[in-house]
Amino acid sequence: MITSFRLIKNILSCCLIMAFSVTAIANVATDKCVVHLDKSFYVTGEIVWYQLYLTQAFKAKPVAIRATVLDKNGLVQHSSFLKTTGTTAVDGYYKIPFNLASGNYLLQFTGINKANKQPVLLVETELPIYNDLE
């Protein structure tokens, strides 16, 4: 009888721990912005199509988001603004110039914190670009 009680207690403890773990993972997953690119790498002259998925905090609030392409030295190669219309997803594109050197670039999305007027990094992803003219 004591052995079966301990077994039930251990099973319930494991279930409880798993329930808290799943809840914690779900909360972390919903608190992050995500970028979806149309391809895994690009060639100069192509268009990078992307979709940015925002957290629920952006719902029903029109916000301007800055999309920036940076080179390996952190220099801005391109910058544009996206405007949400109160939705949690926004899409855009970047036309890669033909004279851009091959390399891994960084595509960043930032917003502005209204309280302290400081930029806030929402999400960034690598952008591998190959120049076949080199």
Side-chain angles (χ1 to χ4, degrees), residues 44 71-72 77 96-105 127-132 134:
T44 54
D71 65 11
K72 64 182 176 184
Q77 298 298 311
I96 303 170
F98 284 101
N99 63 347
L100 199 65
S102 296
N104 279 335
Y105 291 80
L127 194 62
I129 297 175
Y130 176 71
N131 187 334
D132 59 350
E134 289 180 339

Side-chain angles (χ1 to χ4, degrees), residues 11-73:
I11 290 173
L12 289 176
S13 296
C14 288
C15 290
L16 188 61
I17 290 170
M18 287 180 8
F20 283 127
S21 298
V22 170
T23 304
I25 290 170
N27 287 340
V28 169
T30 58
D31 289 339
K32 293 189 178 192
C33 298
V34 178
V35 179
H36 176 80
L37 300 175
D38 64 326
K39 293 171 54 176
S40 58
F41 70 93
Y42 298 89
V43 176
T44 54
E46 290 185 321
I47 296 176
V48 177
W49 293 97
Y50 55 81
Q51 185 143 18
L52 175 64
Y53 299 98
L54 302 166
T55 64
Q56 291 298 315
F58 289 92
K59 192 169 187 173
K61 297 176 188 174
V63 178
I65 296 172
R66 184 177 182 187
T68 309
V69 177
L70 304 168
D71 65 11
K72 64 182 176 184
N73 299 322

